[in-house]
Amino acid sequence: VWYSINMFDIYISHTPRMLLECVILFIAILFISDKPLVKIKWNNWVAASWIICGIVILIMGFVARQNVGYWFIGPVMAFGFPCLYFVILNQKEYSRYIIIICKAIVLSSLIYFILALFADFISDTVWDVWGLRYNGTTSDANRIGEICVASFAAGIYLVTVRGISVKWQVISLAVMAFCICDAWISISRSTIIALLCMGLYYIILIFKEAMETKEIKRALVKAFCFLLCILMAYLGTFAMRSIHEYAQERARQETVVETENIAENSDAAVSEEDKDSFSAVNERLELSGKDINTLSSGRITIWHTYLSGTGILGNEADGRTPISDNLTNVAAHNTLFEFSYRSGIVAGLLIMIVEILSGIYILRVLFRRSRNNRPQDYFAAFASIGFIIVSNLQVAYNPLTSIIFFVYSLSMVVMFEYRRKTE
Protein backbone atom coordinates (compact mmCIF):
# COMPACT_ATOMS: atom_id res chain seq x y z
CA VAL A 1 0.00 0.00 0.00
CA TRP A 2 2.77 2.45 0.95
CA TYR A 3 4.62 1.81 -2.28
CA SER A 4 1.49 2.48 -4.36
CA ILE A 5 0.09 5.73 -2.98
CA ASN A 6 2.11 7.93 -5.37
CA MET A 7 0.25 6.38 -8.29
CA PHE A 8 -2.90 8.08 -7.00
CA ASP A 9 -1.11 11.43 -6.44
CA ILE A 10 -1.18 10.94 -2.67
CA TYR A 11 1.83 11.82 -0.55
CA ILE A 12 2.23 10.60 3.01
CA SER A 13 5.48 11.39 4.79
CA HIS A 14 7.53 8.88 6.77
CA THR A 15 6.27 10.27 10.09
CA PRO A 16 2.65 8.96 9.99
CA ARG A 17 3.86 5.74 8.38
CA MET A 18 6.39 5.17 11.14
CA LEU A 19 3.87 5.97 13.88
CA LEU A 20 1.32 3.52 12.47
CA GLU A 21 3.89 0.80 11.89
CA CYS A 22 5.31 1.23 15.40
CA VAL A 23 1.81 0.59 16.77
CA ILE A 24 1.52 -2.55 14.62
CA LEU A 25 4.98 -3.71 15.73
CA PHE A 26 3.98 -3.18 19.38
CA ILE A 27 0.81 -5.24 18.89
CA ALA A 28 2.84 -8.04 17.29
CA ILE A 29 5.30 -8.07 20.21
CA LEU A 30 2.41 -8.11 22.68
CA PHE A 31 0.53 -11.05 21.19
CA ILE A 32 3.20 -13.43 19.86
CA SER A 33 4.12 -14.94 23.23
CA ASP A 34 1.92 -17.65 24.71
CA LYS A 35 4.06 -18.42 27.78
CA PRO A 36 6.12 -16.59 30.45
CA LEU A 37 9.28 -14.98 29.14
CA VAL A 38 12.69 -16.00 30.44
CA LYS A 39 16.18 -14.59 30.02
CA ILE A 40 17.92 -15.63 26.80
CA LYS A 41 21.48 -15.28 25.55
CA TRP A 42 22.21 -13.21 22.47
CA ASN A 43 25.06 -13.05 20.00
CA ASN A 44 26.84 -10.13 21.62
CA TRP A 45 28.60 -8.80 18.50
CA VAL A 46 25.42 -8.67 16.42
CA ALA A 47 23.13 -7.45 19.21
CA ALA A 48 25.55 -4.77 20.42
CA SER A 49 26.23 -3.37 16.94
CA TRP A 50 22.53 -3.27 16.03
CA ILE A 51 21.26 -1.82 19.33
CA ILE A 52 24.06 0.74 19.76
CA CYS A 53 23.50 1.91 16.16
CA GLY A 54 19.86 2.58 17.08
CA ILE A 55 20.91 4.42 20.25
CA VAL A 56 23.35 6.60 18.28
CA ILE A 57 20.64 7.50 15.73
CA LEU A 58 18.30 8.36 18.63
CA ILE A 59 20.86 10.54 20.42
CA MET A 60 22.04 12.32 17.26
CA GLY A 61 18.42 13.28 16.64
CA PHE A 62 18.76 15.68 19.58
CA VAL A 63 22.07 17.07 18.28
CA ALA A 64 21.20 17.56 14.59
CA ARG A 65 17.65 18.51 13.60
CA GLN A 66 15.90 15.35 12.43
CA ASN A 67 12.39 14.84 11.14
CA VAL A 68 10.35 12.45 13.27
CA GLY A 69 10.07 9.85 10.50
CA TYR A 70 13.84 9.39 10.39
CA TRP A 71 14.45 9.96 14.12
CA PHE A 72 12.08 7.06 14.94
CA ILE A 73 14.52 4.65 13.27
CA GLY A 74 16.64 4.98 16.43
CA PRO A 75 14.16 3.62 19.00
CA VAL A 76 12.83 1.05 16.52
CA MET A 77 16.32 -0.43 16.06
CA ALA A 78 17.44 0.00 19.67
CA PHE A 79 14.24 -1.19 21.34
CA GLY A 80 11.46 -2.28 18.96
CA PHE A 81 13.08 -5.07 16.98
CA PRO A 82 15.17 -6.40 19.91
CA CYS A 83 11.91 -6.77 21.88
CA LEU A 84 10.45 -8.69 18.95
CA TYR A 85 13.53 -10.94 18.79
CA PHE A 86 13.40 -11.53 22.55
CA VAL A 87 9.78 -12.65 22.40
CA ILE A 88 10.24 -14.85 19.32
CA LEU A 89 13.38 -16.53 20.68
CA ASN A 90 11.43 -17.37 23.83
CA GLN A 91 9.13 -19.58 21.77
CA LYS A 92 9.92 -23.25 21.38
CA GLU A 93 10.70 -24.15 17.77
CA TYR A 94 10.63 -20.51 16.75
CA SER A 95 11.44 -21.51 13.16
CA ARG A 96 7.70 -21.94 12.63
CA TYR A 97 7.35 -18.18 13.11
CA ILE A 98 9.88 -17.64 10.32
CA ILE A 99 7.79 -19.89 8.07
CA ILE A 100 4.63 -17.94 8.97
CA ILE A 101 6.42 -14.66 8.19
CA CYS A 102 7.59 -15.96 4.80
CA LYS A 103 4.13 -17.30 3.93
CA ALA A 104 2.65 -13.91 4.75
CA ILE A 105 5.23 -12.16 2.55
CA VAL A 106 4.71 -14.59 -0.33
CA LEU A 107 0.91 -14.50 -0.18
CA SER A 108 0.70 -10.69 0.02
CA SER A 109 3.27 -10.43 -2.77
CA LEU A 110 1.27 -12.74 -5.02
CA ILE A 111 -1.85 -10.64 -4.46
CA TYR A 112 0.13 -7.47 -5.17
CA PHE A 113 1.72 -8.78 -8.38
CA ILE A 114 -1.65 -9.95 -9.71
CA LEU A 115 -3.36 -6.65 -8.90
CA ALA A 116 -0.45 -4.72 -10.42
CA LEU A 117 -1.23 -6.39 -13.76
CA PHE A 118 -4.37 -4.23 -13.97
CA ALA A 119 -2.66 -0.97 -12.98
CA ASP A 120 -1.94 -0.23 -16.66
CA PHE A 121 -5.67 0.39 -17.15
CA ILE A 122 -5.94 3.04 -14.43
CA SER A 123 -2.60 4.85 -14.52
CA ASP A 124 -0.03 6.03 -17.06
CA THR A 125 2.84 5.83 -14.54
CA VAL A 126 3.17 2.03 -14.60
CA TRP A 127 5.91 2.36 -17.25
CA ASP A 128 8.33 5.22 -17.73
CA VAL A 129 7.67 7.88 -20.38
CA TRP A 130 9.44 5.77 -23.03
CA GLY A 131 7.55 2.61 -22.11
CA LEU A 132 10.81 0.75 -21.46
CA ARG A 133 11.14 0.50 -17.64
CA TYR A 134 8.40 -1.06 -15.53
CA ASN A 135 7.49 0.81 -12.34
CA GLY A 136 4.47 -1.23 -11.29
CA THR A 137 2.35 0.80 -8.89
CA THR A 138 5.46 2.33 -7.30
CA SER A 139 7.17 5.65 -7.88
CA ASP A 140 10.06 4.23 -9.92
CA ALA A 141 11.66 1.02 -11.13
CA ASN A 142 13.96 0.67 -8.13
CA ARG A 143 10.99 0.60 -5.75
CA ILE A 144 9.35 -2.31 -7.56
CA GLY A 145 12.82 -3.85 -7.44
CA GLU A 146 12.82 -3.71 -3.64
CA ILE A 147 9.51 -5.57 -3.54
CA CYS A 148 10.90 -8.19 -5.93
CA VAL A 149 14.05 -8.81 -3.86
CA ALA A 150 12.15 -9.06 -0.55
CA SER A 151 9.52 -11.38 -2.03
CA PHE A 152 12.14 -13.50 -3.79
CA ALA A 153 14.03 -13.99 -0.49
CA ALA A 154 10.89 -15.29 1.23
CA GLY A 155 9.84 -17.43 -1.74
CA ILE A 156 13.21 -19.07 -2.32
CA TYR A 157 13.40 -19.87 1.40
CA LEU A 158 10.07 -21.73 1.28
CA VAL A 159 11.22 -23.87 -1.66
CA THR A 160 14.55 -24.57 0.04
CA VAL A 161 13.51 -25.96 3.43
CA ARG A 162 11.98 -29.36 3.96
CA GLY A 163 8.45 -29.91 5.22
CA ILE A 164 6.75 -27.15 3.21
CA SER A 165 3.59 -28.34 1.46
CA VAL A 166 3.44 -28.62 -2.32
CA LYS A 167 0.78 -25.90 -2.39
CA TRP A 168 3.07 -23.35 -0.74
CA GLN A 169 6.02 -24.38 -2.88
CA VAL A 170 3.95 -23.79 -6.03
CA ILE A 171 2.80 -20.39 -4.73
CA SER A 172 6.40 -19.52 -3.88
CA LEU A 173 7.64 -20.50 -7.35
CA ALA A 174 4.89 -18.37 -8.92
CA VAL A 175 5.93 -15.38 -6.80
CA MET A 176 9.59 -15.95 -7.71
CA ALA A 177 8.64 -15.99 -11.39
CA PHE A 178 6.82 -12.67 -10.95
CA CYS A 179 9.89 -11.26 -9.18
CA ILE A 180 12.27 -12.29 -11.98
CA CYS A 181 9.89 -10.99 -14.63
CA ASP A 182 9.30 -7.63 -12.95
CA ALA A 183 13.00 -7.22 -12.18
CA TRP A 184 13.87 -7.81 -15.82
CA ILE A 185 11.35 -5.39 -17.29
CA SER A 186 12.12 -2.78 -14.62
CA ILE A 187 15.77 -2.95 -15.79
CA SER A 188 16.85 -2.26 -12.21
CA ARG A 189 20.47 -3.41 -12.18
CA SER A 190 20.73 -3.70 -8.40
CA THR A 191 17.59 -5.86 -8.39
CA ILE A 192 18.86 -8.10 -11.18
CA ILE A 193 22.23 -8.51 -9.42
CA ALA A 194 20.50 -9.38 -6.11
CA LEU A 195 18.25 -12.00 -7.73
CA LEU A 196 21.19 -13.50 -9.64
CA CYS A 197 23.22 -13.81 -6.45
CA MET A 198 20.35 -15.39 -4.52
CA GLY A 199 19.64 -17.78 -7.39
CA LEU A 200 23.28 -18.82 -7.66
CA TYR A 201 23.47 -19.26 -3.88
CA TYR A 202 20.37 -21.48 -4.01
CA ILE A 203 21.77 -23.68 -6.80
CA ILE A 204 25.05 -24.16 -4.92
CA LEU A 205 23.17 -25.05 -1.73
CA ILE A 206 20.96 -27.73 -3.29
CA PHE A 207 23.82 -29.46 -5.10
CA LYS A 208 26.08 -29.20 -2.05
CA GLU A 209 23.34 -30.84 0.03
CA ALA A 210 22.87 -33.52 -2.66
CA MET A 211 26.57 -34.39 -2.57
CA GLU A 212 26.44 -34.74 1.21
CA THR A 213 23.17 -36.69 1.46
CA LYS A 214 23.38 -38.51 -1.90
CA GLU A 215 19.81 -37.34 -2.67
CA ILE A 216 20.59 -36.51 -6.29
CA LYS A 217 17.00 -36.93 -7.47
CA ARG A 218 15.71 -34.33 -4.99
CA ALA A 219 18.37 -31.86 -6.11
CA LEU A 220 17.50 -32.39 -9.78
CA VAL A 221 13.82 -31.86 -9.09
CA LYS A 222 14.58 -28.60 -7.27
CA ALA A 223 16.88 -27.45 -10.06
CA PHE A 224 14.23 -28.30 -12.66
CA CYS A 225 11.57 -26.35 -10.73
CA PHE A 226 13.91 -23.36 -10.53
CA LEU A 227 14.57 -23.50 -14.27
CA LEU A 228 10.82 -23.78 -14.86
CA CYS A 229 10.38 -20.67 -12.72
CA ILE A 230 12.89 -18.81 -14.92
CA LEU A 231 11.04 -19.98 -18.05
CA MET A 232 7.74 -18.72 -16.61
CA ALA A 233 9.40 -15.37 -15.93
CA TYR A 234 10.74 -15.24 -19.50
CA LEU A 235 7.25 -15.82 -20.91
CA GLY A 236 5.86 -13.35 -18.38
CA THR A 237 7.94 -10.51 -19.80
CA PHE A 238 6.11 -10.85 -23.11
CA ALA A 239 2.75 -11.11 -21.36
CA MET A 240 3.41 -7.96 -19.32
CA ARG A 241 4.35 -5.99 -22.41
CA SER A 242 1.29 -7.31 -24.23
CA ILE A 243 -0.93 -6.10 -21.39
CA HIS A 244 0.80 -2.71 -21.54
CA GLU A 245 0.33 -2.40 -25.29
CA TYR A 246 -3.32 -3.47 -25.03
CA ALA A 247 -3.97 -0.91 -22.28
CA GLN A 248 -2.26 1.81 -24.32
CA GLU A 249 -4.27 0.91 -27.39
CA ARG A 250 -7.52 1.08 -25.46
CA ALA A 251 -6.54 4.46 -24.04
CA ARG A 252 -5.74 5.76 -27.53
CA GLN A 253 -9.06 4.54 -28.89
CA GLU A 254 -10.94 6.34 -26.11
CA THR A 255 -9.07 9.60 -26.69
CA VAL A 256 -10.42 12.09 -29.18
CA VAL A 257 -7.59 13.20 -31.47
CA GLU A 258 -7.84 16.99 -31.88
CA THR A 259 -4.99 17.69 -34.26
CA GLU A 260 -2.79 15.82 -36.70
CA ASN A 261 0.25 16.87 -34.69
CA ILE A 262 -1.07 15.08 -31.58
CA ALA A 263 -1.66 11.97 -33.65
CA GLU A 264 1.90 12.05 -35.02
CA ASN A 265 3.36 12.43 -31.51
CA SER A 266 1.25 9.53 -30.32
CA ASP A 267 2.52 7.33 -33.17
CA ALA A 268 6.11 8.22 -32.31
CA ALA A 269 5.50 7.20 -28.73
CA VAL A 270 4.11 3.85 -29.86
CA SER A 271 7.19 3.07 -31.92
CA GLU A 272 9.42 3.88 -28.94
CA GLU A 273 7.32 1.68 -26.64
CA ASP A 274 7.71 -1.23 -29.03
CA LYS A 275 11.44 -1.21 -28.55
CA ASP A 276 12.70 -4.63 -27.58
CA SER A 277 12.95 -4.88 -23.78
CA PHE A 278 15.98 -7.14 -24.11
CA SER A 279 17.79 -4.45 -26.08
CA ALA A 280 16.94 -1.95 -23.35
CA VAL A 281 18.41 -4.26 -20.69
CA ASN A 282 21.55 -4.79 -22.77
CA GLU A 283 21.99 -1.03 -23.15
CA ARG A 284 21.81 -0.48 -19.37
CA LEU A 285 24.18 -3.36 -18.64
CA GLU A 286 26.64 -2.49 -21.42
CA LEU A 287 30.08 -1.67 -19.97
CA SER A 288 32.02 -0.43 -22.99
CA GLY A 289 32.34 3.32 -23.50
CA LYS A 290 31.16 4.17 -19.97
CA ASP A 291 33.13 5.37 -16.98
CA ILE A 292 32.25 4.01 -13.56
CA ASN A 293 30.17 7.08 -12.63
CA THR A 294 28.07 6.84 -15.79
CA LEU A 295 27.68 3.10 -15.35
CA SER A 296 26.45 3.65 -11.77
CA SER A 297 23.97 6.35 -12.88
CA GLY A 298 25.90 9.02 -10.99
CA ARG A 299 26.14 7.09 -7.73
CA ILE A 300 29.89 7.68 -7.42
CA THR A 301 29.30 11.44 -7.41
CA ILE A 302 26.43 11.07 -4.94
CA TRP A 303 28.49 8.90 -2.58
CA HIS A 304 31.45 11.27 -2.74
CA THR A 305 29.20 14.24 -1.96
CA TYR A 306 27.63 12.53 1.03
CA LEU A 307 30.96 11.29 2.39
CA SER A 308 32.44 14.78 2.04
CA GLY A 309 29.73 16.10 4.35
CA THR A 310 29.97 13.28 6.88
CA GLY A 311 31.11 14.09 10.41
CA ILE A 312 30.87 12.84 13.97
CA LEU A 313 27.61 14.60 14.86
CA GLY A 314 25.64 14.06 11.66
CA ASN A 315 23.53 16.49 9.63
CA GLU A 316 19.96 17.67 9.42
CA ALA A 317 17.55 15.07 8.10
CA ASP A 318 14.67 17.17 6.88
CA GLY A 319 14.35 15.57 3.48
CA ARG A 320 17.00 17.71 1.79
CA THR A 321 20.06 16.38 0.06
CA PRO A 322 23.60 17.81 -0.05
CA ILE A 323 23.66 17.24 -3.81
CA SER A 324 21.56 20.30 -4.59
CA ASP A 325 19.44 22.82 -2.68
CA ASN A 326 16.69 22.30 -5.26
CA LEU A 327 16.36 18.57 -4.63
CA THR A 328 14.49 16.97 -1.73
CA ASN A 329 13.83 13.37 -0.68
CA VAL A 330 16.92 12.14 -2.51
CA ALA A 331 19.04 9.81 -0.38
CA ALA A 332 22.62 8.60 -0.68
CA HIS A 333 21.69 5.34 -2.46
CA ASN A 334 23.76 3.61 0.18
CA THR A 335 22.59 2.74 3.70
CA LEU A 336 26.05 3.08 5.25
CA PHE A 337 26.61 6.54 3.77
CA GLU A 338 23.06 7.61 4.60
CA PHE A 339 23.38 6.73 8.29
CA SER A 340 26.90 8.23 8.38
CA TYR A 341 25.73 11.53 6.87
CA ARG A 342 22.57 11.88 8.92
CA SER A 343 23.59 10.39 12.28
CA GLY A 344 27.37 10.58 12.23
CA ILE A 345 30.15 8.28 11.18
CA VAL A 346 29.75 6.04 14.28
CA ALA A 347 26.24 5.02 13.16
CA GLY A 348 27.58 4.24 9.69
CA LEU A 349 30.41 2.12 11.06
CA LEU A 350 28.03 0.17 13.31
CA ILE A 351 25.63 -0.71 10.50
CA MET A 352 28.67 -1.66 8.42
CA ILE A 353 29.70 -4.11 11.18
CA VAL A 354 26.18 -5.59 11.10
CA GLU A 355 26.42 -6.09 7.34
CA ILE A 356 29.91 -7.62 7.61
CA LEU A 357 28.64 -10.07 10.25
CA SER A 358 25.72 -10.89 7.94
CA GLY A 359 28.17 -11.54 5.10
CA ILE A 360 30.16 -13.89 7.32
CA TYR A 361 26.92 -15.64 8.25
CA ILE A 362 26.07 -16.12 4.56
CA LEU A 363 29.42 -17.84 4.01
CA ARG A 364 29.03 -19.99 7.13
CA VAL A 365 25.66 -21.27 5.97
CA LEU A 366 27.13 -22.00 2.55
CA PHE A 367 30.30 -23.82 3.60
CA ARG A 368 29.37 -25.75 6.72
CA ARG A 369 27.72 -29.16 6.48
CA SER A 370 24.05 -29.04 5.55
CA ARG A 371 23.04 -31.05 8.63
CA ASN A 372 24.38 -28.21 10.80
CA ASN A 373 22.13 -25.65 9.09
CA ARG A 374 18.68 -25.05 10.49
CA PRO A 375 15.74 -23.93 8.31
CA GLN A 376 15.86 -20.38 9.66
CA ASP A 377 19.53 -20.08 8.73
CA TYR A 378 18.56 -20.12 5.05
CA PHE A 379 16.05 -17.31 5.54
CA ALA A 380 18.71 -15.16 7.23
CA ALA A 381 21.16 -15.92 4.41
CA PHE A 382 18.79 -15.08 1.54
CA ALA A 383 17.46 -11.93 3.24
CA SER A 384 21.02 -10.79 3.98
CA ILE A 385 22.14 -11.27 0.36
CA GLY A 386 19.21 -9.23 -0.90
CA PHE A 387 19.59 -6.45 1.65
CA ILE A 388 23.37 -6.07 1.41
CA ILE A 389 23.21 -5.66 -2.38
CA VAL A 390 20.11 -3.47 -2.57
CA SER A 391 20.88 -1.26 0.44
CA ASN A 392 24.30 -0.35 -0.93
CA LEU A 393 22.94 0.68 -4.33
CA GLN A 394 19.48 2.06 -3.57
CA VAL A 395 17.52 4.02 -0.97
CA ALA A 396 16.81 1.45 1.77
CA TYR A 397 17.68 2.88 5.17
CA ASN A 398 14.38 2.72 7.09
CA PRO A 399 13.48 -0.71 8.55
CA LEU A 400 9.74 0.04 8.66
CA THR A 401 9.21 1.84 5.35
CA SER A 402 11.69 -0.04 3.14
CA ILE A 403 10.40 -3.55 2.48
CA ILE A 404 13.83 -5.12 1.91
CA PHE A 405 15.15 -3.59 5.15
CA PHE A 406 12.00 -4.80 6.92
CA VAL A 407 12.48 -8.39 5.74
CA TYR A 408 16.17 -8.21 6.65
CA SER A 409 15.27 -6.87 10.11
CA LEU A 410 12.89 -9.78 10.64
CA SER A 411 15.63 -12.21 9.64
CA MET A 412 17.99 -10.64 12.18
CA VAL A 413 16.27 -12.69 14.89
CA VAL A 414 18.29 -15.65 13.61
CA MET A 415 21.59 -13.78 13.93
CA PHE A 416 20.67 -12.42 17.37
CA GLU A 417 20.36 -15.97 18.69
CA TYR A 418 23.44 -17.23 20.50
CA ARG A 419 24.83 -20.50 19.13
CA ARG A 420 27.82 -22.43 20.33
CA LYS A 421 30.86 -22.38 18.08
CA THR A 422 30.46 -26.11 17.42
CA GLU A 423 27.14 -25.32 15.78
Side-chain angles (χ1 to χ4, degrees):
V1 171
W2 292 134
Y3 277 74
S4 303
I5 55 177
N6 289 336
M7 189 179 72
F8 301 100
D9 292 327
I10 300 172
Y11 176 76
I12 300 177
S13 70
H14 279 183
T15 300
R17 299 189 201 185
M18 288 290 285
L19 291 173
L20 175 60
E21 288 158 2
C22 283
V23 171
I24 296 173
L25 183 63
F26 175 75
I27 294 172
I29 294 169
L30 204 61
F31 285 95
I32 284 177
S33 180
D34 58 358
K35 65 177 184 179
L37 301 177
V38 298
K39 184 179 179 180
I40 58 174
K41 192 171 183 179
W42 280 349
N43 182 321
N44 290 333
W45 276 100
V46 176
S49 301
W50 178 274
I51 293 172
I52 295 174
C53 180
I55 293 173
V56 170
I57 293 173
L58 174 63
I59 293 174
M60 289 306 164
F62 295 103
V63 178
R65 185 167 63 89
Q66 310 279 3
N67 59 52
V68 177
Y70 174 81
W71 180 81
F72 254 57
I73 296 175
V76 165
M77 288 184 65
F79 182 73
F81 277 108
C83 283
L84 180 67
Y85 305 151
F86 174 70
V87 174
I88 290 179
L89 290 174
N90 257 279
Q91 310 308 304
K92 186 178 180 180
E93 298 296 330
Y94 80 91
S95 61
R96 68 189 181 98
Y97 287 92
I98 302 296
I99 293 174
I100 291 171
I101 288 170
C102 288
K103 286 182 177 179
I105 294 169
V106 164
L107 187 58
S108 58
S109 298
L110 182 63
I111 294 171
Y112 169 78
F113 287 132
I114 292 174
L115 291 177
L117 294 175
F118 302 95
D120 248 319
F121 297 96
I122 62 174
S123 173
D124 58 0
T125 63
V126 176
W127 297 76
D128 65 11
V129 293
W130 299 282
L132 296 177
R133 299 191 67 185
Y134 179 71
N135 301 323
T137 63
T138 68
S139 57
D140 63 65
N142 288 329
R143 301 288 78 75
I144 188 71
E146 282 186 42
I147 297 174
C148 290
V149 174
S151 305
F152 194 85
I156 202 168
Y157 164 73
L158 291 179
V159 301
T160 300
V161 299
R162 296 175 183 265
I164 304 297
S165 67
V166 174
K167 176 186 72 175
W168 278 105
Q169 290 194 11
V170 171
I171 292 174
S172 299
L173 287 170
V175 168
M176 288 164 60
F178 267 116
C179 292
I180 296 171
C181 170
D182 287 6
W184 184 261
I185 58 180
S186 71
I187 324 180
S188 171
R189 289 167 296 188
S190 55
T191 304
I192 293 172
I193 292 171
L195 297 192
L196 281 174
C197 290
M198 281 192 280
L200 180 61
Y201 190 83
Y202 171 73
I203 293 296
I204 295 174
L205 280 177
I206 62 175
F207 281 104
K208 170 177 163 287
E209 182 181 355
M211 292 175 63
E212 294 177 2
T213 62
K214 308 303 180 184
E215 296 180 354
I216 306 299
K217 182 179 178 181
R218 185 171 183 269
L220 292 175
V221 169
K222 281 192 169 186
F224 173 77
C225 290
F226 188 64
L227 291 174
L228 185 62
C229 173
I230 295 174
L231 176 61
M232 291 168 57
Y234 178 77
L235 297 175
T237 59
F238 296 101
M240 295 285 282
R241 285 203 164 271
S242 297
I243 292 173
H244 174 58
E245 291 168 6
Y246 176 70
Q248 292 294 96
E249 184 61 30
R250 280 193 56 179
R252 281 192 291 270
Q253 290 176 358
E254 294 172 359
T255 301
V256 177
V257 181
E258 297 179 353
T259 65
E260 188 67 19
N261 186 42
I262 294 177
E264 290 176 0
N265 290 337
S266 177
D267 289 339
V270 175
S271 64
E272 188 66 32
E273 287 168 3
D274 289 339
K275 186 176 181 179
D276 183 10
S277 62
F278 294 94
S279 298
V281 173
N282 290 333
E283 286 178 9
R284 272 184 68 81
L285 299 180
E286 178 61 47
L287 300 178
S288 62
K290 298 179 182 178
D291 58 33
I292 189 169
N293 191 56
T294 303
L295 186 64
S296 65
S297 299
R299 281 174 172 80
I300 302 301
T301 299
I302 295 173
W303 295 341
H304 181 267
T305 304
Y306 270 83
L307 284 175
S308 299
T310 296
I312 298 296
L313 299 180
N315 295 276
E316 295 182 1
D318 59 355
R320 294 194 174 276
T321 170
I323 301 172
S324 171
D325 291 336
N326 299 323
L327 296 176
T328 59
N329 298 316
V330 179
H333 290 276
N334 185 295
T335 302
L336 309 181
F337 299 161
E338 188 72 32
F339 280 152
S340 297
Y341 180 81
R342 293 192 180 207
S343 300
I345 194 169
V346 174
L349 289 174
L350 288 167
I351 199 66
M352 182 179 71
I353 292 174
V354 173
E355 291 195 10
I356 290 173
L357 293 173
S358 296
I360 294 172
Y361 199 86
I362 292 168
L363 297 177
R364 288 183 62 191
V365 172
L366 181 63
F367 289 112
R368 69 188 171 198
R369 289 186 177 276
S370 299
R371 66 170 179 265
N372 292 331
N373 284 326
R374 306 161 304 166
Q376 57 265 37
D377 291 328
Y378 296 115
F379 176 54
F382 288 123
S384 295
I385 292 171
F387 174 75
I388 290 173
I389 294 173
V390 171
S391 70
N392 284 286
L393 296 172
Q394 292 185 22
V395 180
Y397 60 85
N398 192 317
L400 289 186
T401 62
S402 169
I403 187 169
I404 185 58
F405 201 168
F406 178 65
V407 172
Y408 175 68
S409 298
L410 292 176
S411 76
M412 285 296 294
V413 66
V414 182
M415 293 188 59
F416 261 65
E417 183 183 15
Y418 172 79
R419 296 182 70 188
R420 295 183 181 88
K421 290 183 179 180
T422 55
E423 298 178 334

